[in-house]
């Protein structure tokens, strides 16, 4: 389980800021809880988490904006 620490966090279709937001949950707010499924490195070597949101949607978020609970 992870908790969003940024005020607003984009949920991307793949790891990296150049990828589009997913349509079902394009943004998360500070304090939102998510399930962290995996960790991946983007092309720029930044760490991203593959996450499950609300038990139904999947996407990628920057690891630096999540604290693991």
């Amino acid at each position: 389980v992870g908790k969003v620490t940024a005020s607003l966090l984009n949920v991307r279709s793949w790891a990296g800021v150049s990828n589009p937001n997913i349509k079902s949950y394009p943004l998360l707010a500070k304090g939102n809880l998510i399930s962290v499924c995996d960790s991946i490195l983007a092309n720029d070597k930044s760490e991203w988490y593959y996450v499950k949101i609300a038990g139904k949607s999947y996407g990628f978020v920057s690891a630096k904006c999540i604290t693991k609970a």
Side-chain angles (χ1 to χ4, degrees):
V1 175
K3 186 176 186 179
V4 177
T5 59
S7 56
L8 281 178
L9 180 60
N10 290 308
V11 182
R12 307 280 182 177
S13 60
W14 189 252
V17 295
S18 61
N19 294 299
N21 288 9
I22 64 171
K23 292 185 184 347
S24 55
Y25 270 95
L27 293 171
L28 294 172
K30 187 172 187 170
N32 284 152
L33 296 177
I34 53 172
S35 297
V36 177
C37 302
D38 203 357
S39 175
I40 189 171
L41 292 179
N43 289 338
D44 66 0
K45 306 298 182 212
S46 60
E47 186 180 15
W48 288 70
Y49 290 145
Y50 179 58
V51 299
K52 186 176 184 181
I53 306 158
K56 61 183 175 184
S57 296
Y58 291 88
F60 291 84
V61 295
S62 176
K64 67 182 178 184
C65 299
I66 302 293
T67 56
K68 285 193 174 179

